[in-house]
PDB file of all heavy atoms in Angstrom:
ATOM      1  N   LYS E   1      87.039 -67.155  92.292  1.00  0.00           N
ATOM      2  CA  LYS E   1      85.645 -67.365  92.099  1.00  0.00           C
ATOM      3  C   LYS E   1      84.908 -67.736  93.453  1.00  0.00           C
ATOM      4  O   LYS E   1      83.639 -67.732  93.476  1.00  0.00           O
ATOM      5  CB  LYS E   1      85.432 -68.513  91.079  1.00  0.00           C
ATOM      6  CG  LYS E   1      85.745 -68.155  89.676  1.00  0.00           C
ATOM      7  CD  LYS E   1      85.400 -69.264  88.758  1.00  0.00           C
ATOM      8  CE  LYS E   1      85.732 -68.844  87.335  1.00  0.00           C
ATOM      9  NZ  LYS E   1      85.571 -69.931  86.370  1.00  0.00           N
ATOM     10  N   GLY E   2      85.744 -67.989  94.439  1.00  0.00           N
ATOM     11  CA  GLY E   2      85.183 -68.316  95.763  1.00  0.00           C
ATOM     12  C   GLY E   2      84.558 -69.701  95.797  1.00  0.00           C
ATOM     13  O   GLY E   2      83.533 -69.909  96.414  1.00  0.00           O
ATOM     14  N   VAL E   3      85.321 -70.707  95.315  1.00  0.00           N
ATOM     15  CA  VAL E   3      84.824 -72.099  95.373  1.00  0.00           C
ATOM     16  C   VAL E   3      85.904 -73.010  96.019  1.00  0.00           C
ATOM     17  O   VAL E   3      87.105 -72.851  95.681  1.00  0.00           O
ATOM     18  CB  VAL E   3      84.560 -72.690  93.937  1.00  0.00           C
ATOM     19  CG1 VAL E   3      84.175 -74.092  93.967  1.00  0.00           C
ATOM     20  CG2 VAL E   3      83.525 -71.830  93.285  1.00  0.00           C
ATOM     21  N   PHE E   4      85.426 -73.794  96.904  1.00  0.00           N
ATOM     22  CA  PHE E   4      86.406 -74.727  97.577  1.00  0.00           C
ATOM     23  C   PHE E   4      85.657 -76.054  97.823  1.00  0.00           C
ATOM     24  O   PHE E   4      84.640 -76.058  98.464  1.00  0.00           O
ATOM     25  CB  PHE E   4      86.957 -74.152  98.900  1.00  0.00           C
ATOM     26  CG  PHE E   4      87.894 -75.043  99.648  1.00  0.00           C
ATOM     27  CD1 PHE E   4      89.108 -75.336  99.068  1.00  0.00           C
ATOM     28  CD2 PHE E   4      87.607 -75.603 100.877  1.00  0.00           C
ATOM     29  CE1 PHE E   4      90.004 -76.156  99.702  1.00  0.00           C
ATOM     30  CE2 PHE E   4      88.484 -76.395 101.526  1.00  0.00           C
ATOM     31  CZ  PHE E   4      89.752 -76.648 100.963  1.00  0.00           C
ATOM     32  N   SER E   5      86.143 -77.130  97.299  1.00  0.00           N
ATOM     33  CA  SER E   5      85.481 -78.352  97.421  1.00  0.00           C
ATOM     34  C   SER E   5      86.371 -79.478  97.853  1.00  0.00           C
ATOM     35  O   SER E   5      87.542 -79.642  97.360  1.00  0.00           O
ATOM     36  CB  SER E   5      84.875 -78.831  96.054  1.00  0.00           C
ATOM     37  OG  SER E   5      84.171 -80.028  96.146  1.00  0.00           O
ATOM     38  N   VAL E   6      86.023 -80.336  98.881  1.00  0.00           N
ATOM     39  CA  VAL E   6      86.841 -81.369  99.407  1.00  0.00           C
ATOM     40  C   VAL E   6      86.101 -82.601  99.657  1.00  0.00           C
ATOM     41  O   VAL E   6      84.863 -82.626  99.690  1.00  0.00           O
ATOM     42  CB  VAL E   6      87.492 -81.000 100.741  1.00  0.00           C
ATOM     43  CG1 VAL E   6      88.354 -79.735 100.682  1.00  0.00           C
ATOM     44  CG2 VAL E   6      86.493 -80.853 101.822  1.00  0.00           C
ATOM     45  N   CYS E   7      86.830 -83.704  99.707  1.00  0.00           N
ATOM     46  CA  CYS E   7      86.263 -84.993 100.039  1.00  0.00           C
ATOM     47  C   CYS E   7      87.085 -85.437 101.233  1.00  0.00           C
ATOM     48  O   CYS E   7      88.313 -85.546 101.195  1.00  0.00           O
ATOM     49  CB  CYS E   7      86.449 -85.969  98.866  1.00  0.00           C
ATOM     50  SG  CYS E   7      85.989 -87.689  99.272  1.00  0.00           S
ATOM     51  N   ALA E   8      86.369 -85.833 102.341  1.00  0.00           N
ATOM     52  CA  ALA E   8      86.981 -86.365 103.608  1.00  0.00           C
ATOM     53  C   ALA E   8      86.624 -87.801 103.727  1.00  0.00           C
ATOM     54  O   ALA E   8      85.470 -88.182 103.623  1.00  0.00           O
ATOM     55  CB  ALA E   8      86.591 -85.496 104.752  1.00  0.00           C
ATOM     56  N   ILE E   9      87.632 -88.571 104.102  1.00  0.00           N
ATOM     57  CA  ILE E   9      87.425 -90.011 104.405  1.00  0.00           C
ATOM     58  C   ILE E   9      87.998 -90.293 105.798  1.00  0.00           C
ATOM     59  O   ILE E   9      89.120 -89.919 106.111  1.00  0.00           O
ATOM     60  CB  ILE E   9      88.166 -90.893 103.380  1.00  0.00           C
ATOM     61  CG1 ILE E   9      87.561 -90.566 101.993  1.00  0.00           C
ATOM     62  CG2 ILE E   9      87.982 -92.319 103.734  1.00  0.00           C
ATOM     63  CD1 ILE E   9      88.417 -91.225 100.854  1.00  0.00           C
ATOM     64  N   GLU E  10      87.152 -90.911 106.590  1.00  0.00           N
ATOM     65  CA  GLU E  10      87.604 -91.256 108.000  1.00  0.00           C
ATOM     66  C   GLU E  10      87.560 -92.824 108.141  1.00  0.00           C
ATOM     67  O   GLU E  10      86.521 -93.411 107.867  1.00  0.00           O
ATOM     68  CB  GLU E  10      86.639 -90.640 108.949  1.00  0.00           C
ATOM     69  CG  GLU E  10      87.005 -91.004 110.364  1.00  0.00           C
ATOM     70  CD  GLU E  10      86.045 -90.558 111.458  1.00  0.00           C
ATOM     71  OE1 GLU E  10      84.909 -90.130 111.089  1.00  0.00           O
ATOM     72  OE2 GLU E  10      86.352 -90.615 112.629  1.00  0.00           O
ATOM     73  N   ASN E  11      88.652 -93.333 108.481  1.00  0.00           N
ATOM     74  CA  ASN E  11      88.776 -94.826 108.808  1.00  0.00           C
ATOM     75  C   ASN E  11      88.775 -94.907 110.343  1.00  0.00           C
ATOM     76  O   ASN E  11      89.588 -94.184 111.016  1.00  0.00           O
ATOM     77  CB  ASN E  11      90.044 -95.401 108.219  1.00  0.00           C
ATOM     78  CG  ASN E  11      90.027 -95.427 106.701  1.00  0.00           C
ATOM     79  OD1 ASN E  11      89.051 -95.873 106.130  1.00  0.00           O
ATOM     80  ND2 ASN E  11      91.053 -94.914 106.106  1.00  0.00           N
ATOM     81  N   PHE E  12      87.930 -95.755 110.931  1.00  0.00           N
ATOM     82  CA  PHE E  12      87.856 -95.814 112.362  1.00  0.00           C
ATOM     83  C   PHE E  12      87.642 -97.230 112.792  1.00  0.00           C
ATOM     84  O   PHE E  12      87.308 -98.114 111.966  1.00  0.00           O
ATOM     85  CB  PHE E  12      86.678 -94.908 112.849  1.00  0.00           C
ATOM     86  CG  PHE E  12      85.349 -95.267 112.278  1.00  0.00           C
ATOM     87  CD1 PHE E  12      84.492 -96.142 112.995  1.00  0.00           C
ATOM     88  CD2 PHE E  12      84.942 -94.735 111.078  1.00  0.00           C
ATOM     89  CE1 PHE E  12      83.231 -96.543 112.471  1.00  0.00           C
ATOM     90  CE2 PHE E  12      83.730 -95.148 110.573  1.00  0.00           C
ATOM     91  CZ  PHE E  12      82.869 -95.963 111.259  1.00  0.00           C
ATOM     92  N   GLU E  13      87.608 -97.488 114.063  1.00  0.00           N
ATOM     93  CA  GLU E  13      87.326 -98.795 114.669  1.00  0.00           C
ATOM     94  C   GLU E  13      85.961 -98.735 115.316  1.00  0.00           C
ATOM     95  O   GLU E  13      85.729 -97.948 116.165  1.00  0.00           O
ATOM     96  CB  GLU E  13      88.505 -99.182 115.609  1.00  0.00           C
ATOM     97  CG  GLU E  13      88.355-100.566 116.122  1.00  0.00           C
ATOM     98  CD  GLU E  13      89.485-100.991 117.068  1.00  0.00           C
ATOM     99  OE1 GLU E  13      90.641-100.623 116.763  1.00  0.00           O
ATOM    100  OE2 GLU E  13      89.135-101.606 118.074  1.00  0.00           O
ATOM    101  N   ASN E  14      85.167 -99.663 114.890  1.00  0.00           N
ATOM    102  CA  ASN E  14      83.810 -99.772 115.539  1.00  0.00           C
ATOM    103  C   ASN E  14      83.880-100.334 116.925  1.00  0.00           C
ATOM    104  O   ASN E  14      84.929-100.911 117.306  1.00  0.00           O
ATOM    105  CB  ASN E  14      82.938-100.715 114.747  1.00  0.00           C
ATOM    106  CG  ASN E  14      82.463-100.114 113.459  1.00  0.00           C
ATOM    107  OD1 ASN E  14      81.769 -99.056 113.458  1.00  0.00           O
ATOM    108  ND2 ASN E  14      82.665-100.742 112.287  1.00  0.00           N
ATOM    109  N   PRO E  15      82.917-100.118 117.822  1.00  0.00           N
ATOM    110  CA  PRO E  15      82.934-100.620 119.195  1.00  0.00           C
ATOM    111  C   PRO E  15      83.137-102.087 119.261  1.00  0.00           C
ATOM    112  O   PRO E  15      83.669-102.616 120.254  1.00  0.00           O
ATOM    113  CB  PRO E  15      81.577-100.188 119.715  1.00  0.00           C
ATOM    114  CG  PRO E  15      81.122 -99.042 118.944  1.00  0.00           C
ATOM    115  CD  PRO E  15      81.708 -99.265 117.524  1.00  0.00           C
ATOM    116  N   ASN E  16      82.691-102.823 118.161  1.00  0.00           N
ATOM    117  CA  ASN E  16      82.892-104.309 118.213  1.00  0.00           C
ATOM    118  C   ASN E  16      84.245-104.717 117.696  1.00  0.00           C
ATOM    119  O   ASN E  16      84.462-105.919 117.548  1.00  0.00           O
ATOM    120  CB  ASN E  16      81.797-104.971 117.425  1.00  0.00           C
ATOM    121  CG  ASN E  16      81.786-104.667 115.903  1.00  0.00           C
ATOM    122  OD1 ASN E  16      82.741-103.980 115.434  1.00  0.00           O
ATOM    123  ND2 ASN E  16      80.766-105.150 115.229  1.00  0.00           N
ATOM    124  N   GLY E  17      85.153-103.806 117.337  1.00  0.00           N
ATOM    125  CA  GLY E  17      86.435-104.053 116.906  1.00  0.00           C
ATOM    126  C   GLY E  17      86.642-104.127 115.391  1.00  0.00           C
ATOM    127  O   GLY E  17      87.783-104.149 114.934  1.00  0.00           O
ATOM    128  N   SER E  18      85.563-104.142 114.653  1.00  0.00           N
ATOM    129  CA  SER E  18      85.752-104.086 113.117  1.00  0.00           C
ATOM    130  C   SER E  18      86.098-102.787 112.620  1.00  0.00           C
ATOM    131  O   SER E  18      85.800-101.714 113.297  1.00  0.00           O
ATOM    132  CB  SER E  18      84.442-104.644 112.544  1.00  0.00           C
ATOM    133  OG  SER E  18      83.411-103.770 112.717  1.00  0.00           O
ATOM    134  N   GLU E  19      86.586-102.718 111.467  1.00  0.00           N
ATOM    135  CA  GLU E  19      87.021-101.415 110.834  1.00  0.00           C
ATOM    136  C   GLU E  19      85.834-100.841 110.122  1.00  0.00           C
ATOM    137  O   GLU E  19      85.069-101.503 109.541  1.00  0.00           O
ATOM    138  CB  GLU E  19      88.236-101.604 109.906  1.00  0.00           C
ATOM    139  CG  GLU E  19      89.476-101.947 110.594  1.00  0.00           C
ATOM    140  CD  GLU E  19      90.659-102.002 109.611  1.00  0.00           C
ATOM    141  OE1 GLU E  19      90.566-101.644 108.502  1.00  0.00           O
ATOM    142  OE2 GLU E  19      91.752-102.454 110.072  1.00  0.00           O
ATOM    143  N   GLY E  20      85.741 -99.501 110.197  1.00  0.00           N
ATOM    144  CA  GLY E  20      84.659 -98.786 109.501  1.00  0.00           C
ATOM    145  C   GLY E  20      85.266 -97.653 108.674  1.00  0.00           C
ATOM    146  O   GLY E  20      86.347 -97.210 108.912  1.00  0.00           O
ATOM    147  N   ARG E  21      84.467 -97.175 107.679  1.00  0.00           N
ATOM    148  CA  ARG E  21      84.891 -96.101 106.858  1.00  0.00           C
ATOM    149  C   ARG E  21      83.786 -95.306 106.406  1.00  0.00           C
ATOM    150  O   ARG E  21      82.698 -95.868 105.972  1.00  0.00           O
ATOM    151  CB  ARG E  21      85.703 -96.642 105.671  1.00  0.00           C
ATOM    152  CG  ARG E  21      86.139 -95.703 104.668  1.00  0.00           C
ATOM    153  CD  ARG E  21      86.827 -96.322 103.500  1.00  0.00           C
ATOM    154  NE  ARG E  21      87.301 -95.353 102.473  1.00  0.00           N
ATOM    155  CZ  ARG E  21      88.249 -95.506 101.712  1.00  0.00           C
ATOM    156  NH1 ARG E  21      88.966 -96.665 101.717  1.00  0.00           N
ATOM    157  NH2 ARG E  21      88.559 -94.587 100.900  1.00  0.00           N
ATOM    158  N   VAL E  22      83.892 -93.967 106.540  1.00  0.00           N
ATOM    159  CA  VAL E  22      82.812 -93.101 106.008  1.00  0.00           C
ATOM    160  C   VAL E  22      83.496 -92.079 105.177  1.00  0.00           C
ATOM    161  O   VAL E  22      84.598 -91.648 105.333  1.00  0.00           O
ATOM    162  CB  VAL E  22      82.056 -92.355 107.179  1.00  0.00           C
ATOM    163  CG1 VAL E  22      81.120 -93.326 107.853  1.00  0.00           C
ATOM    164  CG2 VAL E  22      82.956 -91.623 108.132  1.00  0.00           C
ATOM    165  N   LYS E  23      82.710 -91.574 104.136  1.00  0.00           N
ATOM    166  CA  LYS E  23      83.241 -90.593 103.229  1.00  0.00           C
ATOM    167  C   LYS E  23      82.163 -89.555 103.003  1.00  0.00           C
ATOM    168  O   LYS E  23      81.013 -89.786 102.972  1.00  0.00           O
ATOM    169  CB  LYS E  23      83.525 -91.347 101.845  1.00  0.00           C
ATOM    170  CG  LYS E  23      83.991 -90.474 100.741  1.00  0.00           C
ATOM    171  CD  LYS E  23      84.178 -91.344  99.504  1.00  0.00           C
ATOM    172  CE  LYS E  23      84.545 -90.463  98.398  1.00  0.00           C
ATOM    173  NZ  LYS E  23      84.736 -91.331  97.118  1.00  0.00           N
ATOM    174  N   TRP E  24      82.670 -88.271 102.897  1.00  0.00           N
ATOM    175  CA  TRP E  24      81.741 -87.203 102.707  1.00  0.00           C
ATOM    176  C   TRP E  24      82.327 -86.128 101.913  1.00  0.00           C
ATOM    177  O   TRP E  24      83.487 -85.818 102.090  1.00  0.00           O
ATOM    178  CB  TRP E  24      81.256 -86.674 104.119  1.00  0.00           C
ATOM    179  CG  TRP E  24      80.008 -85.777 103.966  1.00  0.00           C
ATOM    180  CD1 TRP E  24      79.966 -84.464 103.890  1.00  0.00           C
ATOM    181  CD2 TRP E  24      78.679 -86.340 103.827  1.00  0.00           C
ATOM    182  NE1 TRP E  24      78.573 -84.102 103.757  1.00  0.00           N
ATOM    183  CE2 TRP E  24      77.841 -85.209 103.678  1.00  0.00           C
ATOM    184  CE3 TRP E  24      78.157 -87.570 103.809  1.00  0.00           C
ATOM    185  CZ2 TRP E  24      76.482 -85.303 103.584  1.00  0.00           C
ATOM    186  CZ3 TRP E  24      76.735 -87.707 103.700  1.00  0.00           C
ATOM    187  CH2 TRP E  24      75.948 -86.581 103.551  1.00  0.00           C
ATOM    188  N   GLU E  25      81.586 -85.515 100.997  1.00  0.00           N
ATOM    189  CA  GLU E  25      82.108 -84.465 100.142  1.00  0.00           C
ATOM    190  C   GLU E  25      81.340 -83.168 100.522  1.00  0.00           C
ATOM    191  O   GLU E  25      80.160 -83.245 100.798  1.00  0.00           O
ATOM    192  CB  GLU E  25      81.850 -84.819  98.668  1.00  0.00           C
ATOM    193  CG  GLU E  25      82.761 -85.872  98.117  1.00  0.00           C
ATOM    194  CD  GLU E  25      82.539 -86.191  96.664  1.00  0.00           C
ATOM    195  OE1 GLU E  25      81.927 -85.343  95.923  1.00  0.00           O
ATOM    196  OE2 GLU E  25      82.994 -87.279  96.238  1.00  0.00           O
ATOM    197  N   ARG E  26      82.071 -82.052 100.408  1.00  0.00           N
ATOM    198  CA  ARG E  26      81.433 -80.768 100.703  1.00  0.00           C
ATOM    199  C   ARG E  26      82.039 -79.747  99.808  1.00  0.00           C
ATOM    200  O   ARG E  26      83.231 -79.660  99.701  1.00  0.00           O
ATOM    201  CB  ARG E  26      81.641 -80.442 102.161  1.00  0.00           C
ATOM    202  CG  ARG E  26      81.137 -79.131 102.654  1.00  0.00           C
ATOM    203  CD  ARG E  26      79.653 -79.089 102.632  1.00  0.00           C
ATOM    204  NE  ARG E  26      79.221 -77.808 103.263  1.00  0.00           N
ATOM    205  CZ  ARG E  26      78.116 -77.157 102.896  1.00  0.00           C
ATOM    206  NH1 ARG E  26      77.326 -77.608 101.972  1.00  0.00           N
ATOM    207  NH2 ARG E  26      77.761 -76.010 103.467  1.00  0.00           N
ATOM    208  N   THR E  27      81.141 -78.833  99.282  1.00  0.00           N
ATOM    209  CA  THR E  27      81.591 -77.762  98.441  1.00  0.00           C
ATOM    210  C   THR E  27      81.072 -76.421  99.142  1.00  0.00           C
ATOM    211  O   THR E  27      79.927 -76.380  99.498  1.00  0.00           O
ATOM    212  CB  THR E  27      81.055 -77.782  96.992  1.00  0.00           C
ATOM    213  OG1 THR E  27      81.555 -78.993  96.437  1.00  0.00           O
ATOM    214  CG2 THR E  27      81.509 -76.632  96.170  1.00  0.00           C
ATOM    215  N   ALA E  28      81.958 -75.462  99.234  1.00  0.00           N
ATOM    216  CA  ALA E  28      81.589 -74.120  99.714  1.00  0.00           C
ATOM    217  C   ALA E  28      81.698 -73.079  98.627  1.00  0.00           C
ATOM    218  O   ALA E  28      82.798 -73.115  97.917  1.00  0.00           O
ATOM    219  CB  ALA E  28      82.441 -73.793 100.918  1.00  0.00           C
ATOM    220  N   ILE E  29      80.766 -72.245  98.443  1.00  0.00           N
ATOM    221  CA  ILE E  29      80.828 -71.195  97.453  1.00  0.00           C
ATOM    222  C   ILE E  29      80.616 -69.830  98.196  1.00  0.00           C
ATOM    223  O   ILE E  29      79.634 -69.663  98.922  1.00  0.00           O
ATOM    224  CB  ILE E  29      79.751 -71.401  96.388  1.00  0.00           C
ATOM    225  CG1 ILE E  29      79.903 -72.692  95.693  1.00  0.00           C
ATOM    226  CG2 ILE E  29      79.697 -70.229  95.379  1.00  0.00           C
ATOM    227  CD1 ILE E  29      78.777 -73.114  94.727  1.00  0.00           C
ATOM    228  N   TRP E  30      81.548 -69.017  98.009  1.00  0.00           N
ATOM    229  CA  TRP E  30      81.554 -67.755  98.644  1.00  0.00           C
ATOM    230  C   TRP E  30      80.497 -66.800  98.083  1.00  0.00           C
ATOM    231  O   TRP E  30      80.358 -66.620  96.917  1.00  0.00           O
ATOM    232  CB  TRP E  30      82.922 -67.052  98.503  1.00  0.00           C
ATOM    233  CG  TRP E  30      83.098 -65.848  99.370  1.00  0.00           C
ATOM    234  CD1 TRP E  30      82.808 -64.575  99.018  1.00  0.00           C
ATOM    235  CD2 TRP E  30      83.513 -65.804 100.713  1.00  0.00           C
ATOM    236  NE1 TRP E  30      83.054 -63.730 100.116  1.00  0.00           N
ATOM    237  CE2 TRP E  30      83.486 -64.458 101.101  1.00  0.00           C
ATOM    238  CE3 TRP E  30      83.973 -66.775 101.649  1.00  0.00           C
ATOM    239  CZ2 TRP E  30      83.941 -64.087 102.447  1.00  0.00           C
ATOM    240  CZ3 TRP E  30      84.364 -66.386 102.879  1.00  0.00           C
ATOM    241  CH2 TRP E  30      84.322 -65.049 103.304  1.00  0.00           C
ATOM    242  N   ASN E  31      79.626 -66.281  98.947  1.00  0.00           N
ATOM    243  CA  ASN E  31      78.583 -65.330  98.532  1.00  0.00           C
ATOM    244  C   ASN E  31      79.207 -64.008  98.454  1.00  0.00           C
ATOM    245  O   ASN E  31      79.504 -63.273  99.428  1.00  0.00           O
ATOM    246  CB  ASN E  31      77.436 -65.341  99.574  1.00  0.00           C
ATOM    247  CG  ASN E  31      76.312 -64.491  99.131  1.00  0.00           C
ATOM    248  OD1 ASN E  31      76.339 -63.761  98.128  1.00  0.00           O
ATOM    249  ND2 ASN E  31      75.226 -64.496  99.925  1.00  0.00           N
ATOM    250  N   LYS E  32      79.485 -63.490  97.186  1.00  0.00           N
ATOM    251  CA  LYS E  32      80.126 -62.246  97.041  1.00  0.00           C
ATOM    252  C   LYS E  32      79.294 -61.035  97.369  1.00  0.00           C
ATOM    253  O   LYS E  32      79.826 -60.027  97.602  1.00  0.00           O
ATOM    254  CB  LYS E  32      80.585 -62.134  95.527  1.00  0.00           C
ATOM    255  CG  LYS E  32      81.661 -63.139  95.142  1.00  0.00           C
ATOM    256  CD  LYS E  32      82.237 -62.901  93.785  1.00  0.00           C
ATOM    257  CE  LYS E  32      83.207 -63.976  93.534  1.00  0.00           C
ATOM    258  NZ  LYS E  32      83.874 -63.898  92.233  1.00  0.00           N
ATOM    259  N   ARG E  33      78.005 -61.221  97.361  1.00  0.00           N
ATOM    260  CA  ARG E  33      77.100 -60.142  97.804  1.00  0.00           C
ATOM    261  C   ARG E  33      77.183 -59.826  99.326  1.00  0.00           C
ATOM    262  O   ARG E  33      76.921 -58.770  99.749  1.00  0.00           O
ATOM    263  CB  ARG E  33      75.635 -60.442  97.473  1.00  0.00           C
ATOM    264  CG  ARG E  33      75.337 -60.349  95.926  1.00  0.00           C
ATOM    265  CD  ARG E  33      73.976 -60.554  95.690  1.00  0.00           C
ATOM    266  NE  ARG E  33      73.831 -61.842  95.028  1.00  0.00           N
ATOM    267  CZ  ARG E  33      72.768 -62.677  95.111  1.00  0.00           C
ATOM    268  NH1 ARG E  33      71.686 -62.271  95.698  1.00  0.00           N
ATOM    269  NH2 ARG E  33      72.757 -63.813  94.442  1.00  0.00           N
ATOM    270  N   GLU E  34      77.631 -60.852  99.994  1.00  0.00           N
ATOM    271  CA  GLU E  34      77.728 -60.649 101.459  1.00  0.00           C
ATOM    272  C   GLU E  34      79.131 -60.972 101.932  1.00  0.00           C
ATOM    273  O   GLU E  34      79.499 -62.092 102.218  1.00  0.00           O
ATOM    274  CB  GLU E  34      76.742 -61.555 102.160  1.00  0.00           C
ATOM    275  CG  GLU E  34      76.653 -61.333 103.644  1.00  0.00           C
ATOM    276  CD  GLU E  34      75.676 -62.317 104.317  1.00  0.00           C
ATOM    277  OE1 GLU E  34      74.678 -62.781 103.740  1.00  0.00           O
ATOM    278  OE2 GLU E  34      75.923 -62.626 105.491  1.00  0.00           O
ATOM    279  N   GLU E  35      79.937 -59.996 102.045  1.00  0.00           N
ATOM    280  CA  GLU E  35      81.307 -60.086 102.455  1.00  0.00           C
ATOM    281  C   GLU E  35      81.440 -60.029 103.895  1.00  0.00           C
ATOM    282  O   GLU E  35      82.599 -60.097 104.446  1.00  0.00           O
ATOM    283  CB  GLU E  35      82.203 -58.955 101.848  1.00  0.00           C
ATOM    284  CG  GLU E  35      82.349 -59.076 100.279  1.00  0.00           C
ATOM    285  CD  GLU E  35      83.295 -60.239  99.978  1.00  0.00           C
ATOM    286  OE1 GLU E  35      84.244 -60.533 100.651  1.00  0.00           O
ATOM    287  OE2 GLU E  35      83.022 -60.845  98.898  1.00  0.00           O
ATOM    288  N   LYS E  36      80.426 -59.947 104.646  1.00  0.00           N
ATOM    289  CA  LYS E  36      80.402 -59.809 106.096  1.00  0.00           C
ATOM    290  C   LYS E  36      81.004 -61.177 106.751  1.00  0.00           C
ATOM    291  O   LYS E  36      80.503 -62.233 106.247  1.00  0.00           O
ATOM    292  CB  LYS E  36      78.948 -59.622 106.613  1.00  0.00           C
ATOM    293  CG  LYS E  36      78.909 -59.364 108.127  1.00  0.00           C
ATOM    294  CD  LYS E  36      77.481 -59.000 108.483  1.00  0.00           C
ATOM    295  CE  LYS E  36      77.007 -60.122 109.399  1.00  0.00           C
ATOM    296  NZ  LYS E  36      75.639 -59.934 109.845  1.00  0.00           N
TER     297      LYS E  36
END
């Protein structure tokens, strides 16, 4: 069907030394009309 969906989570260290976390979801749907 041309569908791919993921959730990415990044754990990182802030410049002040504390831990940070961001999360983002993204879904891609293939446009079958445009196979280019």
Side-chain angles (χ1 to χ4, degrees):
K1 291 182 180 176
V3 177
F4 182 63
S5 182
V6 301
C7 173
I9 300 169
E10 181 187 12
N11 294 309
F12 60 93
E13 187 176 319
N14 283 305
N16 65 4
S18 64
E19 290 184 10
R21 179 180 177 153
V22 290
K23 177 179 175 181
W24 198 260
E25 292 181 13
R26 176 72 172 143
T27 300
I29 301 172
W30 190 268
N31 184 355
K32 294 185 179 179
R33 283 184 253 154
E34 187 182 330
E35 290 288 326
K36 188 176 115 179

